Amino acid sequence: MAAQSATAATQTQADPAPDLAALKTRQQAAWSSGNYAIVGATLQIVGEELCEALDLKAGSNVLDVAAGNGMASLAAARRWCDVTSTDYVPALLERGQARAAAEGWSIEFREADAENLPFDDNRFDNVLSTFGVMFTPNQDRAAAELMRVCKPGGKIGLANWTPDGFIGQLFKTLGKHLPPPAGTRSPALWGTPARLHDMFDAGARSIRTESRLFKFRYRSPSHFLDVFKTYYGPVLKAFAALEPAKQEELHNDLHALIVRMNRSGDGTMVVPSEYLEVVITKQ
């Protein structure tokens, strides 16, 4: 047993550390492909509910990190907050800017990396991220940045998919066909209280989490897959990386997942997807 343990330890030590910079480059390319705004706009209710959970006050200085096309940014602006919306995909910021202009809201849009935010310490009353910062390769770095730019006594609000929810299972299915780089952490860990306490306890006065459900409503399972294969970068890129026969296997596995979790009762798709709503109060 001792010899086996020593061998295992040697193998672990020999495993190379993941190249997080290269992973970030690939992720940025994935999110830049397709058009996430088509999917992001359907999630608007999550941004509204997160702003209510934070009890945002008019005039608050709010930062939305990895904002996509501005789901939470718009929700905060509708509560008369002073909002800065950031993402590392310029095309998504342009989509958010168009939405804000259409509704007449004044929001500052700025290109920024969630792991290296271009803002002073203690700048914002509230910092938000809905299904965004959870995808950063360097999770601890991103969490530290959220905490750094939030004022003492301010709040960080997050909406993160859970490992066992529909989107968590979707990413597990993708991982079966295209395994992630060795040594990387699953984004769905942001949807677990244990990981959140690990990342935020040192600087938090309190961490409150609540399990919530978002219901994906599409015309049919096939319609959902068509939309995600066309517009949702990670799924689009996964199919593009596979040979036709493997694409069919992935399609069948995803279709089976949807059918298993579908609650519509008819030919349409209504799939509840669990996410964790998080409110962190900084010390």
Side-chain angles (χ1 to χ4, degrees):
M1 289 295 293
Q4 291 176 348
S5 299
T7 301
T10 301
Q11 290 172 341
T12 300
Q13 292 171 2
D15 289 339
D19 187 341
L20 297 181
L23 178 57
K24 182 187 294 185
T25 298
R26 291 196 298 272
Q27 286 184 338
Q28 188 172 15
W31 292 113
S32 298
S33 65
N35 183 1
Y36 175 73
I38 299 296
V39 175
T42 69
L43 302 168
Q44 185 61 48
I45 192 172
V46 177
E48 302 290 342
E49 291 180 340
L50 182 61
C51 287
E52 286 301 299
L54 286 165
D55 192 25
L56 292 185
K57 302 297 194 298
S60 295
N61 200 5
V62 175
L63 175 66
D64 190 2
V65 178
N69 64 320
M71 168 177 45
S73 303
L74 284 165
R78 293 183 186 117
R79 288 155 178 81
W80 304 101
C81 296
D82 298 323
V83 182
T84 301
S85 184
T86 66
D87 203 282
Y88 69 173
V89 178
L92 289 175
L93 293 175
E94 292 172 6
R95 291 282 185 160
Q97 194 166 19
R99 296 178 75 192
E103 292 191 20
W105 298 111
S106 178
I107 296 174
E108 179 184 356
F109 290 88
R110 185 165 176 180
E111 188 174 347
D113 180 353
E115 296 176 5
N116 187 24
L117 295 170
F119 304 108
D120 293 337
D121 296 356
N122 308 318
R123 164 83 179 277
F124 296 94
D125 299 305
N126 297 276
V127 181
L128 316 177
S129 189
T130 51
F131 312 130
V133 73
M134 65 178 289
F135 291 102
T136 52
N138 192 333
Q139 297 185 358
D140 293 304
R141 173 68 178 172
E145 282 292 273
L146 298 181
M147 190 68 78
R148 180 184 66 78
V149 301
C150 186
K151 291 180 179 178
K155 294 179 180 178
I156 299 168
L158 306 172
N160 302 324
W161 300 118
T162 64
D164 295 328
F166 171 61
I167 293 298
Q169 293 299 311
L170 182 147
F171 275 97
K172 285 181 182 178
T173 302
L174 293 180
K176 283 170 50 183
H177 293 264
L178 287 171
T184 56
R185 287 191 169 107
S186 167
L189 289 174
W190 283 76
T192 63
R195 179 66 177 136
L196 290 167
H197 282 282
D198 181 47
M199 292 189 291
F200 290 102
D201 265 355
R205 180 188 305 168
S206 65
I207 299 175
R208 178 174 62 80
T209 62
E210 182 174 348
S211 175
R212 288 188 173 273
L213 292 175
F214 172 81
K215 293 180 181 178
F216 284 91
R217 297 178 181 272
Y218 284 76
R219 295 189 180 101
S220 66
S222 294
H223 177 229
F224 172 90
L225 283 173
D226 287 344
V227 170
F228 268 60
K229 287 163 67 175
T230 304
Y231 299 114
Y232 191 70
V235 175
L236 184 159
K237 287 291 189 181
F239 275 92
L242 296 172
E243 296 296 326
K246 296 296 183 181
Q247 290 180 8
E248 184 176 359
E249 291 178 9
L250 175 57
H251 180 279
N252 292 341
D253 283 352
L254 290 173
H255 190 274
L257 172 67
I258 297 167
V259 169
R260 186 169 71 251
M261 300 187 74
N262 194 6
R263 300 294 180 267
S264 70
D266 54 28
T268 66
M269 171 184 160
V270 180
V271 171
S273 186
E274 184 186 41
Y275 70 93
L276 203 64
E277 182 183 84
V278 185
V279 176
I280 301 165
T281 303
K282 184 176 175 178
Q283 291 179 0

